[in-house]
Structures are given as structure tokens and as C-alpha cells.
Amino acid sequence: MKVRIGIPKGSLQEATLQLFSRAGLRVYTNARSYFASTGDPEIECMLIRAQEMARYVDHGALDAGLTGLDWVVESGLDVIAVTDLIYAKQSRGKVRWVLAAPEDSPFQRAEDLGGRIIATELVQVTRNYFRDKGVDVQVEFSWGATEVKPPMLADAIVEVTETGSSLRANRLRILDTVLESNTQIIANRSAWANCEKRQKIENLALMLRGAMEAQDRVGLMLNVRKENLDGVLSVLPALQKPTISTLSDSAWVAVNTVIEESEAWQVIPRLKQAQAQGIVEYPLNKVVM
């Protein structure tokens, strides 16, 4: 039994390969091939543009794939949404498709653009957005470099952004958010109905989510006398609740927990002041909730 997984080629490719590696599944790519092997003999990967992923998953050429919610909505295809993976090219957050116009234009909202030209790669979503607002516009497909098209080639654009820096650099002003998006694992319905393939896809989703949960978090181990335990717990932020184990010396306990890495700078000195000893901070590969 083989499961073929689509990995987004392009801006998300490197972040996705790193995520797979942190999850424990190495993906071996070749610059000359769109096919990739993995450390699991039952999983094959294929590099596919995120914009096309839903089509190939829907057709069954791929059993599952990672792509953006935006491209699933744009395709209009009926695929299974297995899980959300909140990561992007530069960050762990969502991205936004925004309506933007030149800074010096008179446009302040979508309704001001009636009869105007809108350039975007997300054509169907943009048409639906303006249709729902009752605004008649001409939506044109943009092959790239969309930010440079206003005002000569378009009156406004709908473009994806994480930080807005590219829009500001091109003297564009955001008027509205058209769609928020994040990476998803999607699956073919026939593959999802196959018990073996579904289990493999669900296991992959579990491990990828675990790798994401571990990102920017660290583990903490420490020893403390039972008489000082309440003081330690009062300053210890925990992912859920810390694990407390009795040591060979019954007067002492060991405490294990997970915290945000950024909190360690403040937490460890406070733990020391609360009489904790043998404090160890260690990196995490996966946190399975």
C-alpha cells in the first residue's frame, strides 16, 4: 500500500520540508524531479504548486496534499479537509488576501470600485466577494507582480500578504480583507474511505501537528523539596499541568512541564528563587496534544 502526498512547490516548499523533518519523516528531493522519496516506504511525495493541489487530490492522482485554504476555496472542488496547519512562508500565522488600492487613489472601500478593473490570482474568490457586495467590477487574472499593476494596469488588486510590507513598498493601501487562509492537509474522498490510507494520512497529520506544537516551546525538568512545591508551581506556566514524580528520596519530587521558549528567560530565575534545583531546559521535537 502506497500513499502519495502532495507537497506545495514554491514559496511554502522549504517550510513544509522542514516541518516534515521535525515530524520525523525525512523527504528526499531532487532538483531535477518533481517526485520525492521519504523515510517511510509507504509514503511517496510529489511537488505540486499549491494552486493546483486540490485538483490533483480531487482527481485521485494524489491521495492527500498540503495546500492553502485559499486555493481549495478557489478551486471549488469537493475534497476532505483533514486538519489545519497554521504556518506560512515567513511565520506561524495565517495569511490574508486583501483588497488594496494606490495610496493616493480616492477609493476607500470595495463599493467605491464599481466598474473598475481588479487584478488578482484569486479570481473566483474575488468575483464572489464583489458579487456578495453587489458591486460590478472586472476581475482580471494576474500572472504575478500584482502589486505593480495599479494604477496603470488595474485600479485595485486582491493580493496575499503576511506582513503588508510589500504592499506598503509599492504605495498601496489596504481597503478590506477578502479571505484569511492557512495551510491545510486535504485528502481525496476515495483514499479517505480506504481504512489503511486514511490511517496513514491521519498519522501524518498527527505528527505534523505535534511538530508544530513543539515549535517555539521547550521542556523543563527540575527537582524540588515537597515543602517548596507549591511555591514552584505558583510561578510555573504549564502547557496543561506539570508532571510530578516522587524521587528515591521521599522528601523530594521531580517536576516536568512544557513552556514557551520566550518565557524561559523569566521563569528559570523565579524557579531558582522558589528553591527549585537541578533545572534543565531541553528542546522538543513534537508535542502531541
Side-chain angles (χ1 to χ4, degrees):
M1 188 270 301
K2 289 275 190 181
V3 176
R4 179 166 285 177
I5 306 293
I7 289 180
K9 183 174 178 60
S11 62
L12 274 178
Q13 180 176 329
E14 189 56 36
T16 303
L17 293 176
Q18 290 176 5
L19 178 61
F20 271 66
S21 181
R22 292 200 306 273
L25 183 65
R26 296 296 300 270
V27 179
Y28 304 98
T29 59
N30 185 323
R32 298 182 179 181
S33 175
Y34 282 81
F35 295 92
S37 60
T38 75
D40 186 331
E42 294 183 345
I43 295 180
E44 295 177 344
C45 291
M46 189 173 183
L47 300 176
I48 297 289
R49 287 183 62 82
Q51 294 91 326
E52 301 177 292
M53 192 72 72
R55 184 199 320 163
Y56 292 118
V57 170
D58 179 67
H59 291 176
L62 297 170
D63 295 307
L66 283 76
T67 188
L69 170 65
D70 44 5
W71 299 117
V72 177
V73 175
E74 177 72 4
S75 74
L77 295 171
D78 185 27
V79 294
I80 299 289
V82 178
T83 192
D84 288 318
L85 298 172
I86 312 297
Y87 74 97
K89 180 172 61 176
Q90 299 175 7
S91 69
R92 291 182 60 191
K94 294 187 177 185
V95 298
R96 293 188 300 152
W97 285 86
V98 298
L99 175 64
E103 290 177 348
D104 57 0
S105 73
F107 310 123
Q108 299 296 322
R109 55 190 189 130
E111 289 78 2
D112 298 334
L113 290 161
R116 303 289 184 162
I117 296 173
I118 313 297
T120 186
E121 195 175 355
L122 204 70
V123 172
Q124 194 57 51
V125 169
T126 300
R127 285 176 177 159
N128 292 342
Y129 167 82
F130 279 101
R131 182 200 62 207
D132 292 345
K133 290 183 172 295
V135 180
D136 184 24
V137 297
Q138 181 180 337
V139 180
E140 294 185 349
F141 179 75
S142 172
W143 289 95
T146 306
E147 299 98 324
V148 304
K149 301 207 168 163
M152 293 183 62
L153 303 178
D155 296 291
I157 64 171
V158 171
E159 180 64 337
V160 67
T161 182
E162 284 186 57
T163 65
S165 58
S166 181
L167 296 172
R168 291 190 295 270
N170 285 279
R171 301 176 63 84
L172 296 174
R173 173 168 36 88
I174 294 175
L175 306 184
D176 195 13
T177 296
V178 175
L179 178 70
E180 279 195 344
S181 180
N182 57 265
T183 306
Q184 289 187 327
I185 299 178
I186 60 173
N188 170 270
R189 290 195 170 272
S190 295
W192 195 246
N194 180 301
C195 292
E196 288 184 292
K197 288 190 174 183
R198 177 169 179 166
Q199 187 64 62
K200 204 72 176 178
I201 295 167
E202 288 183 329
N203 289 347
L204 174 66
L206 175 71
M207 297 300 278
L208 291 177
R209 286 198 306 269
M212 291 196 62
E213 290 293 339
Q215 192 172 351
D216 299 328
R217 287 177 170 152
V218 294
L220 277 184
M221 294 190 303
L222 57 95
N223 297 333
V224 62
R225 287 185 175 275
K226 287 182 179 179
E227 62 196 60
N228 297 320
L229 180 59
D230 287 343
V232 164
L233 296 180
S234 70
V235 299
L236 190 64
L239 185 58
Q240 292 179 338
K241 292 184 178 180
T243 299
I244 301 173
S245 308
T246 302
L247 297 179
S248 57
D249 183 341
S250 61
W252 290 76
V253 294
V255 178
N256 270 278
T257 192
V258 174
I259 67 172
E260 297 291 332
E261 186 174 17
S262 60
E263 295 178 329
W265 175 261
Q266 301 289 340
V267 168
I268 290 177
R270 293 171 64 193
L271 290 172
K272 188 65 177 175
Q273 291 170 7
Q275 307 303 314
Q277 296 185 21
I279 303 169
V280 177
E281 176 186 334
Y282 55 93
L284 302 172
N285 289 327
K286 285 171 281 295
V287 176
V288 178
M289 306 295 281

